[in-house]
Amino acid sequence: MRYVFAVVAAVAGIWIMVGCRSSSSKAATFCDTACLTDTLKFEGEHVLNPSVYITAANCGPESIIRSHDAMGASLKTAFGFEGIKINKDFIRCIFNDTSSVCLLFNDCVTGRGFQIKLPFSKTGNISKRSSGINSFDPKFAVAEDMIAYTDRGNIYVEQVRSGKKAMMTFGKALDIDYDAIHEFIDSVNVTSQRIWVKVKVDNEWKELEKKIALE
């Protein structure tokens, strides 16, 4: 009988160790990757009630629909970034009245920042970036009315409603993997007067700062 109990205890111990290893080895995600099934809606504060809808399909975002009361019909655009997972708590819109809207979000798997700028007209340009520096990341602080992004050699900032911009260089091009951005850009702080970045250049962490005048 003692032998049977010993075998049972040994087997239980093995299962506990396997379970612990399995739990600890599971990669952490940036945000909850639960299946997206509901349409997400965002509304601006303009009197013409601009709005943006993100529709879902196959557990992810499918299309972006935008409109306002003075438009004859809504405009629909394919979401365009395949294979990413979004979460309603890690996505927001900055409306520029009824002119355009900037959609900011992070991939819940990698934490990578994305930005999509969409006009409320058929003739305006659509711009999409996969190198966004968004404030959903707790180490990135960007003023509420601004966006920031990088091209691996510089950081660019823009005040959405005015369209005014500024930039700061890192001094050289960096081989940044945007899916693991913190390996090169540790933290960022952006206001309308200042850009501050802690960035790894030549394998050394440096703090760069620049006072800016948006133009």
Side-chain angles (χ1 to χ4, degrees):
M1 182 64 72
R2 285 198 299 270
Y3 174 75
V4 173
F5 282 132
V7 171
V8 171
V11 172
I14 291 171
W15 277 107
I16 289 171
M17 287 188 291
V18 170
C20 288
R21 283 200 299 270
S22 175
S23 176
S24 62
S25 62
K26 185 179 179 182
T29 57
F30 182 80
C31 51
D32 190 346
T33 58
C35 179
L36 179 70
T37 57
D38 297 330
T39 296
L40 304 182
K41 181 180 180 181
F42 303 89
E43 297 177 307
E45 297 179 351
H46 191 273
V47 66
L48 291 177
N49 302 310
S51 62
V52 170
Y53 294 83
I54 300 175
T55 63
N58 301 316
C59 289
E62 180 185 40
S63 59
I64 306 169
I65 301 170
R66 59 207 184 275
S67 65
H68 58 69
D69 292 349
M71 292 173 61
S74 60
L75 297 173
K76 183 177 181 179
T77 302
F79 195 82
F81 293 111
E82 300 294 330
I84 71 166
K85 295 287 187 180
I86 65 171
N87 182 297
K88 63 181 179 62
D89 296 325
F90 292 82
I91 183 167
R92 74 183 185 100
C93 290
I94 304 176
F95 288 87
N96 183 12
D97 293 331
T98 58
S99 175
S100 62
V101 62
C102 192
L103 187 65
L104 311 177
F105 57 95
N106 283 54
D107 175 25
C108 282
V109 177
T110 64
R112 184 172 184 165
F114 294 84
Q115 300 170 354
I116 306 176
K117 187 176 182 180
L118 300 143
F120 281 97
S121 69
K122 294 181 179 180
T123 57
N125 294 324
I126 297 174
S127 65
K128 298 184 177 183
R129 301 189 187 95
S130 57
S131 60
I133 295 175
N134 301 333
S135 288
F136 300 116
D137 189 313
K139 302 201 78 175
F140 295 159
V142 181
E144 282 290 312
D145 62 338
M146 298 183 70
I147 59 173
Y149 55 94
T150 179
D151 65 355
R152 294 189 171 92
N154 311 279
I155 180 170
Y156 299 89
V157 301
E158 178 181 346
Q159 195 171 49
V160 174
R161 293 181 178 88
S162 70
K164 294 182 178 181
K165 304 175 182 179
M167 60 84 68
M168 181 179 73
T169 181
F170 298 147
K172 64 181 300 183
L174 306 176
D175 189 23
I176 297 174
D177 177 1
Y178 294 135
D179 286 338
I181 195 168
H182 287 296
E183 292 182 4
F184 277 88
I185 300 177
D186 176 79
S187 45
V188 173
N189 190 292
V190 171
T191 70
S192 58
Q193 294 86 35
R194 170 180 173 267
I195 301 173
W196 178 93
V197 179
K198 184 177 180 180
V199 60
K200 184 180 285 186
V201 181
D202 295 330
N203 209 35
E204 180 184 349
W205 286 108
K206 298 182 178 180
E207 295 185 12
L208 307 178
E209 183 174 5
K210 181 181 179 181
K211 291 182 179 180
I212 59 173
L214 295 170
E215 298 178 352

